[in-house]
Amino acid sequence: MNGSHYPILAACVAGTQGTILELGCGEGSTPMLHYMATVQAREVLSVDTDAKWIERFAGYKCDRHRFEIVPPQPDVTLCLQYQREKAWREWKGIEACERWGLAFVDCAPGEARWELMIRLAHRATIVIAHDSEMDYKAGGNYQYEKAIPHFKYVSEWRRWRPYTIILSNFVETLIEKCDTIWRPE
């Protein structure tokens, strides 16, 4: 189901404070984060490695909603996917905020997500990552299992596929009493 992450993303935005970080712009997440943050008088930073995604949402740019491109550096030894992975790995913007209220990780390529999640483990109150199923029927092998041990609280929203994982070292995640809950052993 497209948008399977909307309910839990909205709940986490409503349940947190502080600046929102969106890694990877999206048709649903970028407008939703924009409007929810506007109502709550919060700031949003949306980041992408693809200028087309940044351009698509240029109309949302304002004092409270900033956009940043992390351009891949041309490297003839790497295909575009690996150039983008490398750009995410080298992006220093995560350190721009002492504590993000919420970080939503849904960037491409998905293989870059687990490293970003680890870098956010002690910098974001809640980290949400889309496409978390580990049987890979709905998506790729994004290796989230590498990030999970870096968090004290881990839940997974499994109402619809693709699943969404919610992680935190600061607060018990918001779906502990909702729906099916998955916890790593």
Side-chain angles (χ1 to χ4, degrees):
M1 173 187 163
N2 191 12
S4 62
H5 58 295
Y6 296 172
I8 199 63
L9 180 58
C12 288
V13 170
T16 59
Q17 297 177 347
T19 304
I20 299 167
L21 176 63
E22 178 187 32
L23 299 179
C25 296
E27 293 290 344
S29 61
T30 302
M32 179 172 52
L33 291 173
H34 176 83
Y35 290 116
M36 288 189 75
T38 299
V39 168
Q40 295 180 344
R42 292 171 72 177
E43 293 184 7
V44 180
L45 173 59
S46 296
V47 185
D48 212 297
T49 57
D50 187 338
K52 290 177 186 168
W53 280 101
I54 298 289
E55 291 166 17
R56 179 178 272 162
F57 300 106
Y60 291 106
K61 185 178 179 182
C62 64
D63 290 345
R64 290 200 181 276
H65 196 162
R66 296 179 298 117
F67 290 83
E68 184 177 329
I69 181 77
V70 181
Q73 298 303 312
D75 184 336
V76 294
T77 65
L78 298 174
C79 70
L80 183 57
Q81 175 179 336
Y82 291 119
Q83 289 175 36
R84 287 190 169 142
E85 251 184 88
K86 183 178 178 190
W88 282 118
R89 232 179 273 115
E90 294 173 356
W91 182 62
K92 301 296 183 212
I94 284 176
E95 290 81 23
C97 189
E98 187 174 321
R99 170 85 52 87
W100 300 98
L102 172 76
F104 179 52
V105 183
D106 195 21
C107 58
E111 291 76 12
R113 295 179 190 179
W114 68 271
E115 290 180 79
L116 293 165
M117 293 159 64
I118 291 171
R119 290 174 60 198
L120 287 160
H122 295 285
R123 290 201 167 272
T125 301
I126 293 179
V127 176
I128 299 175
H130 197 218
D131 307 308
S132 62
E133 59 284 313
M134 293 189 192
D135 59 8
Y136 316 122
K137 290 180 183 172
N141 179 0
Y142 297 153
Q143 303 176 49
Y144 289 173
E145 67 276 6
K146 292 180 180 180
I148 289 169
H150 296 267
F151 292 88
K152 182 176 180 182
Y153 304 106
V154 179
S155 297
E156 189 169 50
W157 173 257
R158 289 186 168 192
R159 176 65 64 97
W160 304 287
R161 282 185 179 264
Y163 301 151
T164 303
I165 196 165
I166 305 97
L167 311 121
S168 181
N169 281 315
F170 304 100
V171 296
E172 195 166 352
T173 56
L174 301 175
I175 63 167
E176 295 304 314
K177 295 180 178 114
C178 303
D179 289 322
T180 304
I181 297 168
W182 167 84
R183 292 178 177 275
E185 305 254 335

